[in-house]
Structure formats: C-alpha cells, structure tokens
Amino acid sequence: MTSDEIAFDRSVTTEAGTVASLSPLVRRIIAGNGGPMTFTGTCSYIVGRGTVAIIDPGPDDPGHVERLLAAVRGETVSHIVVTHTHRDHSPAVPALKAATGALVVGCGPHRPSRELGPGECRVLDAAADNDFVPDAEMRDGDAVSGPGWNLAAVATPGHTANHLAFTLAEEETLFSGDHVMAWSTSVVAPPDGSMAAYMASIEKLRGLEHARYWPGHGGPVTEPQRFLRGLVQHRRQREAAILNRLAAGDETIAAMVPAIYQGLAPALHGAAALSVLAQLEDLVLRGTVRSSDAIPALASRYRLA
C-alpha cells in the first residue's frame, strides 16, 4: 500500500452495549443499531471523569439511554454534545437531558446544504432528526469544558450542512462524527450533504494535528493524516471513474452506478447513486460537467463540458 491509498478497518473491538474504556478520559458505548449504513452501531462517547460530557447519545433507544446512564452513575453529566442531526446520533437527546439536566450543545438544527431543485425531493428526510434544537449552538472554535477536559468545535460540513467535530486537546484526539470513519467513507448525499463542503472540510483537517480520531461508527482512525490523504485519493478515483463513464457515453446516474460500483450490494445502490450525484454536483460547480437541469438531480442528464 502506498502512502496515498486508503485502508479501511472493519474490525469489531467491542460489542454493542459494552462500556469500553478507550483512554484516561474517554469511554465508549455502541448502540444496538448496527446495519449497512451504521456498521456495528452508533458510538456514544463519555468524556471526562466525575463531571462528564456525552457525545452523540444515539438513536431513540431506551435501552441504550439506560446503559449510558448506568455507565455514568455517581457522576455528573454537564453537557450533551451532538455532532450532527441524523437519527442514529441525536434522537436520544431528550431522554438523556430529562434524566441528567445536562446542557445540550453542538450542532444547530438540521438543514439542507442547498435549496431543492424543481421536482426534487429530500430523499434522506427519513434519516434527519428535524426535532433537534440545542440549548446552545456551537460554532467553529467554540468550546465547552469540565474538570480536566475541553471540547472545542471544528466545523466540518459535508456529510450534513451542520456537522461538527470536536477536539479533545488533553489527548490530542478528535471526535470526528460521520465526517471521517475508519470503516468506510462518509455518505455525502445532496441536498442533505455537499461534496464541495466535504472536501473543504477534509482539507481543513489536514491542516490540524491529531494523534487519533474517534468516529461516529467503528474503531479509531489511528493515522489521521495518512487516512485523510487516502480519502482525498479515493474521491479523486471516484471522480475519474465518473468522468470515464461520461466519456463512454453514460448520461444518467442510473447508468453509471452499476459500472462504477461493481459488486456492490443492491441495498446500497441508492446510497451509491446519491454519492455519484454529490460528485457530479461538484463537477458541475467547477465547470467540468454540464447538467440538463440548473440544479443537478438524480434524474438529470449529464455530459462533459
């Protein structure tokens, strides 16, 4: 493997529901919502000792909330921190807040990355937690803290428009949410997500130094800079594959997906189509590709500029 190739880590280190002590300041409990889009389940993190923050309490699952509460029994939960508003990350907030009285901070309410085009629908509406409203919305550089820990927000739009990551300076680590994960690339699906914003956020992280990432699903990213280079290369390869399909005469996303994602499980073709749309939207913005519609959509026709 060269330094610019990506190597995914799909190993499973702990079972859902188990409290894993990852470092002096970080504990993790994985929710029982494993699946094709969530891997082994959503990672909820407990940061600190005595007075703690809980990052991404996960889906609306009373059992998972009870396991989180059991893990911090005898401690004070001062903050509930949310990276983004997908239903596998934020819907447990109300139950956890009711039980702890903690301040809810992090990303703002859910919003799309752009306006809808004519006849376009928000295909991922079912995945969005539109009920989430924080007590305090954090912006890039804003921080919350407790005894021995400080969590600083890093704005990382792309997977969603409101996505935040959080730096834990005391351990030189980053809670990367769904922006960067060791087990898979992030889903970037317009109009919920934006490939241009995602790539800009990747470049932003390349300018920061962290020893390790703790992502929203799966195990840690242990060589962040190398992994980020791999993600950039991966997206360039996907872009090249799309341009090759256009050069070969494909005009629709439906025609491109089977050729680009050979061997992909049929259940994931919809996600793959949205990923191709995200790349095409970016290529149209850059003037490399032309779309039959002013706002590129799944049903649009495309050609090289």
Side-chain angles (χ1 to χ4, degrees), residues 24-50:
L25 287 175
V26 180
R27 288 165 279 173
R28 179 187 64 201
I29 303 179
I30 301 173
N33 62 334
M37 304 298 290
T38 57
F39 193 40
T40 60
T42 301
C43 295
S44 296
Y45 294 99
I46 302 166
V47 179
R49 301 282 174 172

Side-chain angles (χ1 to χ4, degrees), residues 3 49 64 74-75 110 112 121 145 168 172 214 228 242 273 304:
S3 61
R49 301 282 174 172
H64 183 59
E75 299 178 284
H110 195 80
C121 64
S145 61
L168 178 62
E172 299 180 358
W214 296 115
L228 291 172
I242 289 169
L304 294 173

Side-chain angles (χ1 to χ4, degrees), residues 149-167:
W149 57 266
N150 182 285
L151 290 170
V154 181
T156 47
H159 176 65
T160 59
N162 64 351
H163 196 286
L164 296 176
F166 295 92
T167 290

Side-chain angles (χ1 to χ4, degrees), residues 240-251 256 259 304:
I242 289 169
L243 294 174
N244 287 339
R245 294 317 308 167
L246 289 168
D250 289 350
E251 295 183 344
M256 295 179 205
L304 294 173

